[in-house]
Amino acid sequence: MTLQETLELHVKAAIKALFQAELESVEFQATRKEFAGDVTVVVFPMLRVVKGNPVVIGEQVGQYLLDNVELVKGFNVVKGFLNIEISDSYYLDFFTSIKGNDAYGFVDQKDDKAVMVEYSSPNTNKPLHLGHVRNVLLGYSVAEILKASGKKVYKTQIINDRGIHICKSMLAYQKFGQNETPTEDLKGDKLVGNYYVKFDKEYKSEISELMAQGQSEEDAKKNAPLLVEAQQMLLKWEAGDEDVVALWKKMNQWVYDGFDVTYKNIGVDFDTYYYESNTYLLGKEFVAEGLKTGVFEQDADGSVWCDLTEDGLDRKIVLRADGTAVYMTQDIGTAIQRIKDYPDVGGMVYTVGNEQDYHFKVLFLILKKLGFDWAKNLFHLSYGMVDLPSGKMKSREGTVVDADDLIQEMADTAEDISKELGKLEEYSEEEKQTLYKTIGLGALKYYILKVDPKKRILFDPKESIDFQGNTGPFIQYTYARIQSILRKANVDDIGASTSLSDHITLHEKEKQLIKQLEQFPVIIQNAAEQHSPALIANYTYDLVKDFNSFYQNVSILGADSDLEKNLRVALSKTVSQTIKNAFKVLGIEVPERM
C-alpha cells in the first residue's frame, strides 16, 4: 500500500470519528516547497460532507492524525490545505523493504488475458525511416511497460507487402535493375527503395512528355505507360502469375533481411508477423456475415457499406462494387485472425500515426457491431509526426532520413562530443565504439520517448546528445557515476534486522530521494494505463535530478558513521537499479562506465 493509500484510509477514519460523515475520496497534492510537510490534503472537497471553516476542519483532522497515526510526526494548515509531515521511520522502513530488489517497480504477470501490441508495420518498397523510428520505439516501449505492469504481451506487426506501390519498385527493378543484388554496402531494403525512387523519377518524366503532347495533367498521370504497366503487374500478381510472384518473393525477402538488421541495430523485436498478402481477403467472410445480421448494407452497384451516421461518423465502404477488399476489410480480418491465433488476447494496441485516427475509430466501432467482446479493449496509440530542422520527409523523392543512417549519425555525434569532453582515455577502441552506440541510441530513444506521443516532435540530433538537461546521455552519465561510487565503496549490506529508524535521522535530500523512489511502481502502472513512455522518461529525469542534488549536498563515502555510509551507498545503488529498470522499459541501455 502506498503512502497516499494509507493516509487516505486514516483521513476517512478521522472524518468519520470527528464529524460522523463518510468521505468518498481524499484529494492529495505535493506539499509546496515553502511549507513544512511531505504530503498535502486538500480540505475544500470535504465541505461537500462536512460543513464548517476549512482551516478549522484541517486543524481538527491534522490533530487526529498526529494523535492516532504513528507515521504522522507533525502538520500545519495553510488556508484549506493540510500539510502533513511524515516520520523518518516510515521512509526508512520503506527503503529497507525495497533495497536489493533488482525488479523493483515491476509486477509479476497478474492477468490471464494478454495484450497484443502492433508496431512498425512497414511497406516492403523502402527502408525504415525516422517516422518508423518513432513508431517502433513507442510500440516496443509500450509493450515493455505493459509487461512490467503485470500484463502478458505479444509484440506483432502487419507488413504491407502487396499493392500498386510494391509493383512500382518491382517494375523499376525489372526495367533498370540489370540483375543488381544486395551487397554488404547496400542492404536489400535500400536497394528496393532506390527502385521506388527510380520509378517516381521516370514516371514524372513520362507525365511531362505526355503533357507536352497536349494531354492534361490528370490524363497524363493516368496514361503514363509506367503506371499502366505497374497496374497490369498488380493484376498479374493477384492472378498468381509465376514470374511476377517469383520476383515479388525475391525482392520482399531482400527487404525483410534489411529490416532485420535495422531492428537489431535499434534493439527491438517481435513475437509474430502478419502479412497483408495473407490477410487482405480475410475480412470478406465477416462482411458476408455482417450483411446477414444487418451490420452492413449493400448498395445497388453491389458495394457493401457500414452506416455509422447514428454514431456520429460517416458511411464506410467495406467491399468495392467489384467485390475487392479495402484496407478496412483487411483490418477487420486481421484483428479477428489474431484472436483466433492467440485466444488469450483480450485487447490490442495499434501504434499508428495520428493521420489514421478516424480509420481506427471506424474499425473499433465495426468490430463492436460485429459482436466481438474484446473490441472494447482496442486502443489506437496515436502519435504525431517527427520533423527535422530541415523540414518534412518524402519517401517517393528519396529525401527521407534513413533509420540506419540516423543510428550511425547518432553514434558519430556521440563520438565527437565524447572526444571533446576527453573522458575515455583508458578505453579500448572496441569499448569506445560500443559506448558511442549506447550513448547515441540512448539519446535518440530518450529524446523521442520523453515527449507525449500525441505531440509532434522536432528532432535535433545535436540537442539530444547534450550531457546536461533532460536527455538520455545525462541520465546514462548519472548511472555510470553511481557505478563508480559503488566500485569505490567498501561497505557491508544493511541487514533487514537493522532498525535504521533507531539510529538515523534522514537528511532532507535522502528523504526526497526515497520519496521519489516510492513513486516508481505507481508511475509504471500509470504509464501502462495511459500507454505513455513519456511518464517514465520524465520520472527518471526527476529521480536523477534528486540524486544529483543529494550527491552535491550529502557526503556518501565520507559519512559520519558506517551506518550512514552504508545507507547512502545502498540508497545510491537502489537509485541506479531504478534508473536501469526505467530505461529497460524504454529500450535504453545504461553503461557501467562513461
Side-chain angles (χ1 to χ4, degrees), residues 72-93:
V72 174
K73 72 166 187 183
F75 73 93
N76 63 85
V77 179
V78 180
K79 297 182 179 171
F81 298 92
L82 167 60
N83 304 315
I84 301 169
E85 293 177 67
I86 304 299
S87 67
D88 285 2
S89 61
Y90 169 82
Y91 290 111
L92 288 163
D93 289 346

Side-chain angles (χ1 to χ4, degrees), residues 227-251:
L227 181 66
V228 173
E229 270 192 86
Q231 287 165 338
Q232 287 166 349
M233 183 180 263
L234 179 59
L235 290 172
K236 284 182 180 178
W237 179 87
E238 290 187 353
D241 181 281
E242 213 171 288
D243 292 340
V244 171
V245 170
L247 177 64
W248 172 75
K249 282 182 177 173
K250 179 168 77 171
M251 291 180 71

Side-chain angles (χ1 to χ4, degrees), residues 334-385:
T334 305
I336 296 164
Q337 185 64 46
R338 285 171 174 170
I339 303 291
K340 283 183 177 177
D341 293 344
Y342 295 89
D344 58 340
V345 166
M348 289 182 244
V349 176
Y350 293 82
T351 312
V352 183
N354 57 14
E355 69 276 7
Q356 295 292 334
D357 284 355
Y358 184 77
H359 175 85
F360 283 100
K361 271 185 194 165
V362 172
L363 173 65
F364 298 168
L365 189 52
I366 289 175
L367 287 165
K368 278 180 192 165
K369 286 180 181 292
L370 285 169
F372 294 107
D373 188 49
W374 44 263
K376 65 179 184 291
N377 298 322
L378 300 178
F379 181 80
H380 175 206
L381 176 51
S382 172
Y383 62 89
M385 189 173 279

Side-chain angles (χ1 to χ4, degrees), residues 202-247:
E202 298 295 329
Y203 174 52
K204 281 179 176 166
S205 171
E206 288 184 350
I207 292 168
S208 297
E209 278 179 41
L210 292 174
M211 286 172 71
Q213 291 165 21
Q215 290 195 25
S216 70
E217 186 178 356
E218 193 180 339
D219 287 343
K221 282 180 175 178
K222 278 184 207 160
N223 299 331
L226 264 180
L227 181 66
V228 173
E229 270 192 86
Q231 287 165 338
Q232 287 166 349
M233 183 180 263
L234 179 59
L235 290 172
K236 284 182 180 178
W237 179 87
E238 290 187 353
D241 181 281
E242 213 171 288
D243 292 340
V244 171
V245 170
L247 177 64

